[in-house]
Amino acid sequence: MTKVIPSSIQVGELATGQALTIPLYDIQGSDSAAPSVYIQANVHGAEVQGNAVIYQLMTLLEGYEVLGDIRFAPLANPLGINQKSGEFTLGRFDPITGVNWNREYFDHKVDLTAWYTEHHHLADDALFQAYRATLIDSCQARLNQAFGVTTGHRLAISLQAMAHQADIVLDLHTEPKSCKHLYCPEYDIDAARFFSIPYTLVIPNSFGGAMDEAAFCPWWQLTDFAAKHGREFAVPVSAFTLELASQERIDLADALVDAKGILAYLSHRGVIREKVEPADMARFGCYLKDYKKFHAPKAGLIEYCAAVGQPLNAGQPLVNILRMDLYGSDEAHQVISLPMDCVPILHFASASVHQGTELYKVMTNVFRL
């Protein structure tokens, strides 16, 4: 039986001096040539479903022959997880700096001209090993810089350094009120058919601050640079963000569905010996440029009419806006629709909004994967 080995890592210190730690769970694979995996969850405090998925996935893996090393980092942000206000978990933004916890990762900006000139003579495997060491050393140097780093940046770079040790990186998130969707880089779009997720956002091969981009962008840049100098190889690292429906919820049965989807992808990549087929389901995508935000045209009380994950035709109601202060006028109740077909993916959690609040995110120009 596969053995799961628990440990922990320190990612900072509290004001009172206690060590800030996160739990880790490792599975040691039997084949050093198989891809290694890093999976984290709960970087945002209210986004807890990823922990249930990790639990289900570790339980499933106990019955499989695991070839590649796998590291799990659930509860990856103890500060955000414990940032409570009444019955709600805040934990999306660092309360000290106001920065989104998932935008604290480090853009290495490797000088590829100098680096590749020094290392281009290496065979592919040795080249990748040297580049991986460069990225990890860069993280450590960042943590040890003379002027220090913020609490959030220290947490993020500590997580990023672990991610750089892996060939496959999965970052598990949720959204306020959402259907499942996947962030997938353009170069790896074929991978979307393995996960049990109906909608995929195809993102550019560039750095925007999130963990998936922090993991794959340096490797895309190396691959692109090498190709321009006559050397071809596939991007060595794959990284995805899985949005597992809505926040502030744990659903173990649903987590099992997503764990099996991840297992199918790991099977496809040769991380486990057994063959696991992906779920038979329709999958759709759109490019990030076609992922639109709808903002409240005026303040008021909002009824969210459009169901997430369900196609919405142009002209169908998206929201109702109720203005009690305008009772008796034609503006007391307003029905809002969009001028194009779309698929609503998520909406704001609160029914009481300021003008300009982001109410919905919708996919447009949707295509079948």
Side-chain angles (χ1 to χ4, degrees), residues 170-184:
L170 304 180
D171 193 13
L172 310 185
H173 285 258
T174 61
E175 295 279 8
K177 300 293 181 182
S178 174
C179 68
K180 295 178 187 178
H181 54 291
L182 174 76
Y183 284 86
C184 178

Side-chain angles (χ1 to χ4, degrees), residues 278-328:
D280 183 12
M281 59 185 293
R283 294 173 175 84
F284 302 89
C286 88
Y287 288 94
L288 190 63
K289 64 182 177 61
D290 294 321
Y291 191 42
K292 305 297 186 183
K293 301 176 182 179
F294 174 76
H295 298 88
K298 62 182 181 181
L301 306 177
I302 303 297
E303 179 184 8
Y304 297 94
C305 301
V308 296
Q310 299 298 318
L312 186 73
N313 293 330
Q316 289 185 322
L318 183 70
V319 298
N320 286 321
I321 302 180
L322 187 64
R323 285 289 294 263
M324 295 304 298
D325 60 312
L326 299 177
Y327 181 75

